[in-house]
Amino acid sequence: MASLTSLSFSAISQCSERRAVVSSSRNLASNSELFRCRTSFSCQFVGFRASNSTSRMVINCMSSTTDSPTVADTKLNFLKSYKRPIPSVYNSVLQELLVQQHLIKYKKSYSYDPIFALGFVTVYDQLMDGYPSDEDREAIFQAYIKALNEDPEKYRADSQKLEEWARAQNSSSLVEFSSKEGEVEEILKDISERAANGNFSYSRFFAVGLFRLLELSNATEPTILEKLCTALNINKRSVDRDLDVYRNLLSKLVQAKELLKEYVAREKKKREERTGSTANEAVTKCLGDYQYARQ
């Protein structure tokens, strides 16, 4: 079981129980230097008066503060929304994703886009595949997105829309969106324009979203990703790097889930053996009492 507690998204090397997350979140909340709101400070010169004996400068200072939640706030929002325990093999990665997405969400350049949503939904569904309860899996998704002050229904709806569109594409049509009309094509054009103007905030989830589009459109040629990145004005080197991290994550998750299944099976077998042993002892005792009573 020690192997199960060594998993995280960035380093795949940490794991924490839900109780530890609560404690950690409380500690973070009390640390005023961590992930606090950004403050801009400006001074306006108002007046200056001088005499032979004294000189005085009057300065009027103004400060403007942009409030944003801390990482601790986001984690606590999640824990308040979903209060049931989550197995550590899932929870450690969820918490790592939540921190990363918080930092993305509250960047000044952040702007929601459907490909980002598709990327996150893809990662989440892969992570939670095989979770014991479908109902809990969806409840965790709802709590996660709401903790970031975003709309989980929009994430699901936009992801479904892109998946349906991608299934109808091929290698050529996927990269020729700029010459076509349609709702998804307009989304891609907007991303391309913002990226060209330096107003686009790239992230790992966006890279996974692109990969999902290629996967669903059966665009398996290695050059298609390069063409799509060029059309979107996205750095392909960054996409390649982040897709490698994603694939590594999936590989580690598969191994961890297999270890978890083996552990659960062993524990179940031990319980059954203990139950059977107890039952045999009870039967033996009853037979002994019966024999004694007949004497």
Side-chain angles (χ1 to χ4, degrees):
M1 192 60 181
S3 299
L4 295 179
T5 58
S6 60
L7 184 66
S8 71
F9 186 57
S10 59
I12 319 293
S13 63
Q14 296 183 22
C15 183
S16 59
E17 298 296 339
R18 187 175 181 83
R19 181 175 55 191
V21 171
V22 174
S23 176
S24 174
S25 299
R26 288 173 180 165
N27 291 334
L28 285 172
S30 64
N31 188 341
S32 61
E33 296 180 356
L34 188 60
F35 299 112
R36 282 301 180 190
C37 58
R38 296 182 298 273
T39 301
S40 60
F41 188 86
S42 61
C43 292
Q44 179 181 0
F45 178 77
V46 174
F48 178 83
R49 184 174 60 191
S51 67
N52 292 333
S53 58
T54 61
S55 63
R56 182 173 60 184
M57 179 181 292
V58 180
I59 300 176
N60 181 31
C61 296
M62 298 178 297
S63 65
S64 60
T65 302
T66 303
D67 291 330
S68 62
T70 64
V71 171
D73 293 333
T74 298
K75 283 190 170 188
L76 286 173
N77 287 340
F78 173 72
L79 295 173
K80 289 175 182 177
S81 296
Y82 189 82
K83 299 179 180 179
R84 301 185 63 182
I86 301 174
S88 59
V89 67
Y90 300 100
N91 190 48
S92 60
V93 184
L94 275 175
Q95 294 298 324
E96 182 73 18
L97 291 177
L98 188 59
V99 171
Q100 288 192 19
Q101 197 161 345
H102 170 97
L103 298 176
I104 293 169
K105 165 72 189 295
Y106 293 106
K107 285 173 63 176
K108 291 178 65 175
S109 58
Y110 172 78
S111 178
Y112 170 89
D113 72 74
I115 295 182
F116 175 94
L118 174 61
F120 171 74
V121 169
T122 300
V123 171
Y124 181 85
D125 288 344
Q126 290 279 358
L127 165 64
M128 301 299 282
D129 182 44
Y131 198 78
S133 167
D134 292 341
E135 183 179 348
D136 286 343
R137 182 166 61 240
E138 184 57 29
I140 293 169
F141 178 83
Q142 294 278 331
Y144 181 105
I145 300 298
K146 288 179 180 178
L148 293 159
N149 295 314
E150 293 194 307
D151 183 359
E153 304 302 332
K154 183 173 179 61
Y155 268 71
R156 286 292 187 191
D158 285 347
S159 297
Q160 183 177 358
K161 183 193 307 177
L162 284 175
E163 287 178 342
E164 291 173 354
W165 177 84
R167 289 188 181 98
Q169 305 306 309
N170 55 45
S171 299
S172 299
S173 63
L174 185 65
V175 299
E176 295 172 355
F177 61 84
S178 60
S179 61
K180 298 181 179 180
E181 299 295 329
E183 185 178 3
V184 175
E185 284 81 359
E186 291 304 316
I187 291 171
L188 297 173
K189 290 176 188 177
D190 177 65
I191 292 171
S192 177
E193 182 178 347
R194 287 191 287 124
N197 294 331
N199 296 324
F200 177 71
S201 181
Y202 169 83
S203 72
R204 184 170 294 164
F205 295 116
F206 183 86
V208 177
L210 287 184
F211 178 77
R212 182 65 174 154
L213 292 178
L214 293 171
E215 187 178 48
L216 292 171
S217 61
N218 293 317
T220 57
E221 299 90 338
T223 58
I224 299 302
L225 177 60
E226 183 175 359
K227 291 179 180 178
L228 183 58
C229 288
T230 300
L232 289 169
N233 295 306
I234 301 296
N235 188 327
K236 182 178 179 292
R237 189 172 299 175
S238 297
V239 173
D240 287 337
R241 178 196 63 216
D242 290 333
L243 289 180
D244 285 341
V245 173
Y246 172 61
R247 295 185 188 100
N248 187 43
L249 169 67
L250 294 184
S251 176
K252 296 292 184 180
L253 282 173
V254 169
Q255 296 173 26
K257 288 176 183 179
E258 286 300 319
L259 289 172
L260 180 62
K261 288 180 182 179
E262 293 174 6
Y263 172 78
V264 171
R266 286 197 304 270
E267 290 300 306
K268 182 179 179 181
K269 185 177 180 180
K270 289 178 182 178
R271 286 195 301 270
E272 290 174 349
E273 290 174 350
R274 286 195 295 267
T275 301
S277 176
T278 302
N280 289 335
E281 290 174 1
V283 170
T284 301
K285 185 177 184 304
C286 288
L287 288 174
D289 291 344
Y290 175 73
Q291 294 291 339
Y292 177 79
R294 290 187 61 186
Q295 292 177 358

